[in-house]
Every structure is written in C-alpha cells, then in structure tokens.
Amino acid sequence: MNHSIHSEAELTLIGITNEKTLEKRLPGDLAMWFFILAELTVFAILFIGFAVSEQLNSAIFIEGKAKLHQMLGLINTLTLITSSFFVALALNAMHAGDGKKSAKLLVVAKLVACVYIAVKVWEYMSLFEQNIDIETNTFFTLYFMITFFHLMHILLGMVILTFIAVKANKNEYNASNITGFEAGASYWHMVDMLWIILFPLIYVI
Amino acid sequence: MAYGRYALDYSLSTYLCDLTFMQIINSNKKNTLSWLWLMVLTVISTFIGLVINNKALFIASVLFIVFLKGQQIIDIFMELAQAPKFWRRLLLGYVTLLPLVIGFIYIL
C-alpha cells in the first residue's frame, strides 16, 4: 500500500508524530511493575546474602556446590529462557489479535516450564537421598531457601499464565485491553531474569 | 470533502494496521534472535571456567554475561526498550549493580 499519502503534518494533527510516539508506554499495569520491583529487591538481598556467606564459609560452599549437578542448572536455565521466549511470541500473537495462537504458545511456554519443575524436583529428591536437606549446613540452607522461593514464583507464574491463556483463548484481550496479558508476561520474564542471576551464583561461580 | 475524510480515515487505519503487522513481524524476529543469543550466552557462561583460570577474570566474565542476558530480557522480552526511560533504566540498573556488588564481594 502507499504509505506516503500521509504527510507528517497530517499524522501530527491526529496525535501521531512518529512510530516511537505510538510505542512509548510501559507494558502492563503500573502496580505489577511495583510488585516486580519489590520481588527483585527481596531476591537481591538473598543473592547478596548468599555471596557474603560464601566468602565467610568458603570451604562449606565449595563442598556444597560440588554436590550439585551443574548440567541440571544449565538445562533449567535453557528451559526458562525458552519458556520466556514463547511467552514473548504469545504476546506478539495477541497484539496481532490472534487469541487462539496466543493461547497455544502460552501452553507451550508452560510445558517447557514443566521441564524446569521436573528437573528441580529430581534435584531435590537426589539431594534428599544423600541425606542432604535444609539443615545440613549454611550452603544448603541458602540453596534450598533461594531455589525453593524461586520455584514458588515459577508456580505462581504458571497460574498467571494459565489465567491469561484462558482469557486469550476466548479472545477477551484486544488493543485497548491487553495490560493484564502484558503484566502476566512481564512477571514471567522477571522470574526468568532472576534465575539468570541465580544460576551462575549457585552453580557456576 | 466527506469522501476525502473517509479516504483519509480508511487509508490511515490500513496504514496503522500495516504498521502494527510489520512491528509484530519485526518483534518476532527480535525475540528469536534474542532467544538464540541468550542460549549461546548461557552455554558460554557455564563452560567459561574451562578456559579462564584466573578466578577474578572468571567471575567478572560470568557476571558480565549476567548483565548481557539481563539486558536482552529487559529490552526485548519485557519490551522495555520502547517503555519510558525511567523504567528501563531502573531494570537495567538492577542487572548492572547487582552483578557489580556480587563481583566485589567475591573478588575483594
């Protein structure tokens, strides 16, 4: 089609000066972003606490990290990134007005996240079989506390994704009513971002 | 005049639909590239210890990769590259400052 039929002046008249003006907005609810900030703060305290404890008890932490499976941490990182990717695609599909496709992509995102949960549960069971639990030492207290807290966020995220998938499937979102979808997607990306910091802290460094 | 107004409205709505469609196609491409980049960075950060023997350099490299990955999630997946600068800077500040603080704790 011919895009040149609109001069800049015509677009300015109706309040559209350029493409950037159209897009310059915060995705989702402001309340969700404050919630995300609160969550990030809590996790920042836990991560810094973990790093300080490691410096104070380096022998225990080296021994503890050796008992973890780095490959499981890697698989979980790859699954969460992939899940986040499908949520981003689902949001794009919803922006295009394709609620059914969006809901299907959200289901894929959740199935990928189920791999994360299965791996995490297997890792916990494996540690329990070695008589390792939250009271074993400082490393495992922090390990179980941080990873379980993160797992709870994954489960909450999956409930949110289910809720928005059902609404998307019914085509209840549209261009003027998509903040709920965006807020849910942002929450999921935050959970992914937290694991990206958690993974090297516990499994790599 | 009325026909002219109709023609303007019709072509403008088509233009905006077309614009939105192109944005979605571009966004899907960006998301796919970002996903691939995140996967590559994850694998690099996992095995970087095999090639870097210096502890400080190893920790700095891993934490720098955390920043790179965080930036991708914030700008591409969360779409904060198109959001008001305050929120983008706030989130980018998080993935910059937190790895820096953790790095200082480990290295110093």
Side-chain angles (χ1 to χ4, degrees), chain A residues 69-78 119 123 195 199 203:
Chain A
H69 297 271
Q70 196 184 45
M71 283 307 109
L72 295 182
L74 173 64
I75 291 167
N76 272 349
T77 310
L78 298 178
V119 168
E123 193 179 25
W195 180 264
F199 167 62
Y203 293 88

Side-chain angles (χ1 to χ4, degrees), chain A residues 83-84 86-87 104-114 161 188:
Chain A
S83 179
S84 227
F86 280 110
V87 170
K104 282 176 190 165
L105 287 165
L106 286 173
V107 170
V108 175
K110 282 187 289 179
L111 288 174
V112 176
C114 284
L161 290 186
W188 190 252

Side-chain angles (χ1 to χ4, degrees), chain A residues 79-96:
Chain A
T79 56
L80 279 189
I81 288 168
T82 306
S83 179
S84 227
F85 167 64
F86 280 110
V87 170
L89 292 184
L91 182 59
N92 284 344
M94 201 63 250
H95 277 301

